Structures are given as C-alpha cells and as structure tokens.
Amino acid sequence: MRREQDSANTFEAVAREWVALKTWEPITKKRRLDMLTRVAFPKIGVLPVKQITPAHILDVLKTAAKKNGPSVAAEAKRTMSGVFELAVSTLRADTDPTYPVRKALPANKTQHKRPLGPEEVGQLLRDFDGHGGKFETVCAFRLMWCAVPPYRDCRGQVGRVRLGRRCVAYLRRPDEDAPRACRTASQASG
C-alpha cells in the first residue's frame, strides 16, 4: 500500500498532474513537459515529492544552466516550484524545496537586440499577414504597431491608422486635446 502511494506521488506523476490542470494551449503543455523530461525527470522524476530536498533542486538547476543555459534553468525553477505548490496544497509534500535555492543561480541577463529598420518592419508585417493565428493575437499585434512612432514625418504626432476595412485606430498623445491628421505612405495608398 505504501509503495503504491509513493509511486503515485513521484515528482513526475505530480508534475504531469500539474501540467494537466493548467488551462494552457496544448503546445504550451507539450513544451513544458518536454522541458521537464529533459531537465528534471532524469534526476528527480522517480523520487517521491516528499523526499526531494533543496540539494536535489540545486543539482537539477545547475545541470540545466550548464547544459541548456540560464533561461531553461529559470523556466525549470518556476515549473518545479509550481509542481511543489500543487504537492503542498494536496498534502503530498510538506514544503517547496525550490524556495531555499531560488537565488542560487545568477539572474538571467536580458539581451537587447538592435531595432528593426523600416524595410525589416515592412517585411515582418507582410510575413505576419499570411501567418493567421487567433483573432485576439492578430489584433494585438497590429495595434502594437500603431503605438510605435513612425520613422519619419509622423514622429510624435497623432495618426489615424487603418488596420483593415472596418478597423481604424485613432492615436493621440496624452498632452494633446484633439488628434491631428498624419498619413504615412502606406495610409495614403490605402
């Protein structure tokens, strides 16, 4: 009876249950499980969650940082913490062993990329038009580009941006009372 209970409470079993409970898209669940399969399951997957210590977690994180990089280690830490949160809340573990080692690895440094040039932005928008995707994502992406100041004549001005036949966005700077007309070359032709 005890062995049966321990096998149902292994890190891998709880992790799979945690991922199944998430309301993520199937591809996100698959990616998260793939990461756990590569990074965490080989070292702690067969251990009962109650027996996993901060030393186990630190070993997983150091190995992940060395083999896969700091961003994968950071994702593994967040994911394992979520798994242990479920284990603690369902009384299968007493504590979250990721907490004591949360600062053991250096923070993942942000890497800034160069800005896109006008031709690259145009190509990106053309590529995105054929991409498809969810309606909300497409609208958010298009609106994001409305908020980016244009490269030349309209910098700092307010613009009327046509996103399609029925969708027009009016942009206004907060310090202005009324929008001014500002047409870019693409708006003039559309």
Side-chain angles (χ1 to χ4, degrees):
M1 176 91 158
R2 176 95 169 125
R3 279 191 186 167
E4 245 178 61
Q5 192 175 21
D6 282 348
S7 67
N9 292 329
T10 63
F11 179 80
E12 183 173 351
V14 176
R16 290 183 184 281
E17 179 184 342
W18 178 77
V19 169
L21 289 173
K22 294 295 180 184
T23 57
W24 297 331
E25 293 290 323
I27 188 70
T28 305
K29 290 181 178 186
K30 181 184 180 319
R31 286 180 184 154
R32 195 61 60 99
L33 276 175
D34 287 347
M35 182 276 302
L36 285 169
T37 302
R38 282 189 338 268
V39 173
F41 294 166
K43 291 191 174 277
I44 62 172
V46 296
L47 294 176
V49 287
K50 209 169 212 168
Q51 294 177 7
I52 297 174
T53 65
H56 291 108
I57 301 299
L58 186 59
D59 181 42
V60 169
L61 295 177
K62 282 185 174 181
T63 304
K66 192 164 115 182
K67 284 185 177 179
N68 306 103
S71 61
V72 173
E75 182 184 347
K77 180 174 58 174
R78 287 189 306 271
T79 302
M80 289 188 295
S81 185
V83 171
F84 282 106
E85 186 178 305
L86 173 65
V88 169
S89 68
T90 56
L91 305 177
R92 291 182 269 182
D94 299 323
T95 61
D96 176 0
T98 60
Y99 185 78
V101 297
R102 69 190 180 282
K103 306 248 184 206
L105 298 178
N108 191 10
K109 292 183 180 178
T110 302
Q111 297 177 2
H112 296 283
K113 306 292 183 195
R114 68 172 181 76
L116 297 176
E119 295 81 22
E120 293 169 308
V121 170
Q123 185 60 48
L124 175 67
L125 294 173
R126 284 188 295 277
D127 291 345
F128 188 78
D129 281 341
H131 170 68
K134 287 191 166 187
F135 175 75
E136 295 86 354
T137 306
V138 171
C139 285
F141 183 81
R142 289 181 177 171
L143 283 171
M144 175 190 70
W145 285 101
C146 292
V148 173
Y151 284 96
R152 292 180 201 86
D153 52 294
C154 293
R155 186 175 301 267
Q157 294 183 10
V158 178
R160 175 177 177 255
V161 181
R162 182 176 296 279
L163 301 176
R165 289 183 185 176
R166 297 182 188 154
C167 185
V168 176
Y170 292 92
L171 303 177
R172 177 185 315 165
R173 286 192 334 202
D175 60 341
E176 291 184 355
D177 292 334
R180 293 183 301 216
C182 176
R183 294 169 60 96
T184 63
S186 62
Q187 293 168 329
S189 63

